[in-house]
Amino acid sequence: MRRTNLFTKTLKNAPADEVAKNAQLLIRAGFIHKEMAGVYAYEPLGLRVLENIKQIVREEMNAIGGNEAMMTTLQPREIFEKSDRWDDKKVDNWFKTKLVNGSELGMGLTHEEPIVDMLSSYINSYKDLPMNIYQIQNKFRNEKRAKSGLLRGREFVMKDMYTFARNQEEHDRLYEQIAVAYHRVYARLGIGDVTFRVKADGGIFTEKYSDEFQTISPIGEDTIYHVPDTERYFNQEVAPSKAPVHEQDIEQKPMEEKYTPGVVGVEQLAKELDVPVERTVKTMLYDVDGIVTAVAVRGDYSVNDIKLRMELSAKSARLIDESTIKQVTGAEVGYAGLINLPNDVQVVVDDTVESLVNFELGANKTDYHNVNVNWGRDLEKPERFYDIKEAKEGDQDPETGRTYEVVKAVEVGNIFPLETKYTDALDVFYTDENGAKQSIIMGCYGIGISRLVGMLAEHFADDKGLVWPMNIAPYKVYLVSIGEKGAAEADKLYDELIKEGIEVLYDDRDERPGAKFADAELLGIPLRVTVSDRGIEAGEFELTERAVGETIKLNREALIAKLLMLAANS
Ligand code: ATP
Ligand code: MG
């Protein structure tokens, strides 16, 4: 490609409203164009990067028997009603549209139902399984906040794969096989050393965790808890945790009811009552699968809804509304505690509260809190304490007893057990060897293709611009001509490199050398070849590796040999 044929130019500045570094760089370098928040077009150079990433993913998915298909963006409502996902109360980030006749359509939010529906024409017997189907295409999600440039878009490119298995063992085997393929993908993308398999929420259809592939990065939205020197990685949303314990009183003091009008929040309460925050206890009221549940946790922690749901093997756990709180506690909001609760209230207490002596609790009475509360004497000690707290820095992994290391990361992929939720809902079964009807176990597996474009752009950048690894770079060589003779020689070299199958972006513009070099750096093409009048006189070509920054001089033959070697290294 000749620069004079390329419609994009490098820009001095990114749009003022673009704050993410990945988008700023990619816009300035002419890789992407911002249509609106969270929606970006791919210009020729950006498209080549996107396609290179897709190709790596595609090769790895094909290698494990994946069938590539292309599903539609317009989606019929009926199939999503079968799985109960059409309702806006169930899925709230869907772009929907209407036909002229008024019937509603969905816009490519996700594709479990359409894939299952498509497969229903082909799956009958056990001989038709297992099966593995994937697609790479745009998804549309009405994200509340589009942010971080390409990392969280409203229109973005995803690879999603779906497996269909006859039984749990078969499913588990496919699932692990895909996890291995994912590691290969990230290794080929150059982020294998910073991308880890992390346990995350499995959702409401399974008691299992899902697995996320998280790339450690300061720009990440996710917080990861890692047990040093082990493969134990948890997303904060599910990290099991043991809190540091604090020294307790030896003597139990008499319980007292304290008048605390309008005192809200543990910090203020602790100050007012002169109790350390670590000896206060928060009680929150939840609806757990329809059962009113008082959930208590030490004041310096908060309740983690996902851990609560998982610990109780429940389908849902959410805070109850104010009027129900008043009804249950007999007090205004803010004074819930564990003493004098109605009998039918389920009580779940976090293990941070177990060893407390002389602790504080809401009194279930407007304007009052109790201090010097003690297990056994003032309220019955639960038979079991739970781990339902949101993990904090400084916490330990209960299994190994080691203190977590806490890092930020970008979710670049995830794999999910779906059990038989969608296949059952869409009435797709198979007949086993004995002629009996059986459910099909499904899994889904995503990779954020366009998120990776942004992630990799930022990960490999330096202060001069982008620095693409060879196998995802839009071109392998940036050819710069300087002077008239240089241009004539560069023309010839350009043709020859193309003949050799090397992808070249040829800066044939009538520009100052400095401008051409600055562009080569901003664009991040791995190899720069400079052909100048002066060089030609000496029979020399300059070769500069973008990542290293050093320049060497070579004769024509040695240059071509070197380029062939370096460019093949992908
Ligand atoms: P997240 O937790 O980041 O919201 P998700 O768990 O909803 O994502 P999936 O629907 O399973 O993600 O999508 C699979 C992959 O697609 C994710 O791992 C992520 O890499 C990518 N992805 C998800 N949402 C977006 C988005 N809005 N913009 C860009 N990439 C996304
Ligand atoms: Mg996620």
Side-chain angles (χ1 to χ4, degrees):
M1 178 66 137
R2 288 171 177 265
R3 275 301 296 270
T4 48
N5 284 338
L6 185 67
F7 74 81
T8 54
K9 294 179 181 162
T10 55
L11 307 173
K12 275 251 157 359
N13 297 304
D17 65 341
E18 186 58 80
V19 291
K21 187 176 155 200
N22 65 82
Q24 282 179 349
L25 271 173
L26 290 166
I27 291 172
R28 280 185 48 219
F31 281 58
I32 60 172
H33 171 73
K34 185 174 190 171
E35 297 285 341
M36 56 180 133
V39 182
Y40 297 88
Y42 288 82
E43 293 163 337
L45 298 174
L47 181 61
R48 290 178 73 97
V49 171
L50 186 77
E51 291 299 326
N52 287 341
I53 296 174
K54 280 187 192 173
Q55 190 53 28
I56 288 174
V57 173
R58 182 176 280 131
E59 285 168 17
E60 295 301 334
M61 296 305 109
N62 290 346
I64 52 171
N67 290 251
E68 185 171 359
M70 187 164 111
M71 305 307 289
T72 62
T73 294
L74 297 179
Q75 303 177 316
R77 164 184 178 155
E78 296 72 28
I79 53 174
F80 291 95
E81 277 176 340
K82 288 190 187 165
S83 58
D84 197 22
R85 288 215 286 184
W86 183 257
D87 193 336
D88 290 338
K89 284 194 211 81
K90 296 276 160 65
V91 179
D92 64 0
N93 59 349
W94 213 323
F95 288 107
K96 289 175 180 167
T97 187
K98 281 197 179 88
L99 292 180
V100 179
N101 72 12
S103 30
E104 280 185 290
L105 299 179
M107 294 272 298
L109 170 98
T110 186
H111 287 84
E112 282 84 2
E113 288 85 343
I115 294 239
V116 173
D117 186 55
M118 182 172 78
L119 229 71
S120 67
S121 317
Y122 302 102
I123 294 184
N124 298 304
S125 111
Y126 65 95
K127 293 181 196 148
D128 302 324
L129 293 169
M131 205 42 79
N132 183 341
I133 300 164
Y134 76 98
Q135 59 165 346
I136 302 177
Q137 67 193 77
N138 286 16
K139 300 275 177 196
F140 301 85
R141 290 187 187 173
N142 205 345
E143 301 275 359
K144 277 189 201 71
R145 247 160 60 74
K147 54 180 177 186
S148 316
L150 292 183
L151 302 196
R152 183 165 298 284
R154 296 201 167 97
E155 177 175 350
F156 60 97
V157 185
M158 190 201 286
K159 185 284 302 181
D160 47 325
M161 179 177 250
Y162 303 87
T163 57
F164 301 85
R166 289 170 286 204
N167 51 51
Q168 194 60 45
E169 296 85 87
E170 190 166 81
H171 166 81
D172 293 346
R173 205 171 60 240
L174 293 168
Y175 191 88
E176 287 309 315
Q177 186 186 39
I178 292 168
V180 172
Y182 271 38
H183 282 301
R184 275 200 295 269
V185 167
Y186 301 119
R188 287 180 65 182
L189 294 176
I191 49 173
D193 55 335
V194 283
T195 303
F196 302 98
R197 180 175 172 177
V198 172
K199 296 266 165 267
D201 181 20
I204 58 171
F205 313 123
T206 174
E207 303 223 324
K208 299 198 181 93
Y209 289 117
S210 69
D211 291 275
E212 292 173 344
F213 290 80
Q214 295 273 5
T215 306
I216 308 294
S217 162
I219 58 172
E221 275 181 35
D222 288 319
T223 305
I224 307 303
Y225 280 62
H226 173 224
V227 183
D229 309 318
T230 72
E231 295 295 302
R232 283 172 72 76
Y233 290 88
F234 296 94
N235 191 309
Q236 180 172 33
E237 65 184 21
V238 297
S241 64
K242 202 163 151 285
V245 285
H246 298 271
E247 209 176 316
Q248 300 296 321
D249 294 343
I250 300 179
E251 303 253 322
Q252 294 190 355
K253 298 180 189 159
M255 182 169 93
E256 266 181 83
E257 199 172 75
K258 293 273 191 182
Y259 182 57
T260 47
V263 180
V264 280
V266 280
E267 298 292 339
Q268 206 194 335
L269 190 70
K271 217 158 121 198
E272 202 88 2
L273 296 173
D274 195 24
V275 179
V277 175
E278 300 79 37
R279 230 190 289 149
T280 64
V281 175
K282 267 186 226 166
T283 308
M284 314 290 284
L285 288 162
Y286 275 81
D287 170 338
V288 180
D289 284 353
I291 301 169
V292 176
T293 307
V295 183
V297 65
R298 206 171 79 192
D300 54 330
Y301 280 83
S302 54
V303 177
N304 175 322
D305 299 6
I306 297 172
K307 283 170 73 175
L308 176 65
R309 194 192 74 220
M310 290 178 83
E311 279 274 79
L312 299 181
S313 304
K315 292 239 174 301
S316 91
R318 51 185 150 75
L319 286 167
I320 61 174
D321 57 278
E322 282 196 16
S323 68
T324 320
I325 297 179
K326 288 183 194 169
Q327 219 178 309
V328 173
T329 62
E332 289 297 317
V333 174
Y335 301 94
L338 298 174
I339 301 175
N340 291 334
L341 282 171
N343 281 338
D344 56 352
V345 172
Q346 170 177 231
V347 174
V348 171
V349 183
D350 186 75
D351 54 20
T352 41
V353 185
E354 183 169 8
S355 61
L356 299 187
V357 177
N358 298 329
F359 54 95
E360 173 279 339
L361 258 186
N364 288 325
K365 184 171 161 187
T366 304
D367 292 342
Y368 287 91
H369 286 90
N370 291 322
V371 293
N372 299 330
V373 179
N374 285 289
W375 291 119
R377 185 191 69 186
D378 309 317
L379 77 172
E380 202 184 323
K381 189 166 183 174
E383 269 168 36
R384 178 184 164 192
F385 288 85
Y386 295 82
D387 172 16
I388 47 86
K389 65 187 128 353
E390 177 92 344
K392 283 205 302 190
E393 200 138 9
D395 285 0
Q396 293 172 345
D397 166 30
E399 196 167 302
T400 58
R402 308 199 35 199
T403 303
Y404 283 116
E405 128 195 313
V406 182
V407 290
K408 287 279 171 205
V410 174
E411 182 192 314
V412 289
N414 63 14
I415 62 180
F416 242 86
L418 295 174
E419 316 252 305
T420 63
K421 148 92 183 163
Y422 296 104
T423 39
D424 285 355
L426 274 83
D427 235 344
V428 184
F429 298 92
Y430 78 95
T431 313
D432 70 13
E433 291 88 332
N434 307 313
K437 181 175 151 185
Q438 300 287 358
S439 281
I440 300 173
I441 300 179
M442 208 174 152
C444 75
Y445 314 82
I447 289 185
I449 303 282
S450 52
R451 179 176 286 184
L452 276 163
V453 175
M455 162 79 220
L456 295 167
E458 199 155 336
H459 184 73
F460 291 114
D462 65 16
D463 55 356
K464 299 197 185 77
L466 299 158
V467 188
W468 297 109
M470 192 62 81
N471 58 350
I472 48 181
Y475 289 92
K476 312 231 189 271
V477 174
Y478 195 85
L479 177 60
V480 174
S481 65
I482 298 175
E484 247 166 67
K485 280 197 216 121
E489 187 63 29
D491 275 348
K492 279 191 262 163
L493 184 62
Y494 177 62
D495 291 338
E496 187 170 344
L497 292 179
I498 287 179
K499 236 183 272 151
E500 293 286 355
I502 296 176
E503 296 163 353
V504 191
L505 183 57
Y506 174 21
D507 197 342
D508 58 342
R509 297 172 306 162
D510 185 14
E511 275 286 353
R512 288 174 300 110
K516 294 188 177 189
F517 292 159
D519 267 17
E521 280 173 335
L522 178 58
L523 264 48
I525 313 292
L527 305 170
R528 188 185 80 205
V529 173
T530 309
V531 187
S532 64
D533 290 350
R534 216 178 328 137
I536 289 166
E537 277 159 29
E540 281 171 351
F541 296 79
E542 282 182 7
L543 173 63
T544 313
E545 281 190 59
R546 174 65 178 90
V548 192
E550 267 161 39
T551 298
I552 53 169
K553 293 187 168 119
L554 297 163
N555 67 32
R556 188 187 175 94
E557 206 178 319
L559 172 79
I560 291 173
K562 182 105 184 164
L563 291 178
L564 278 171
M565 186 196 76
L566 291 171
N569 183 18
S570 57

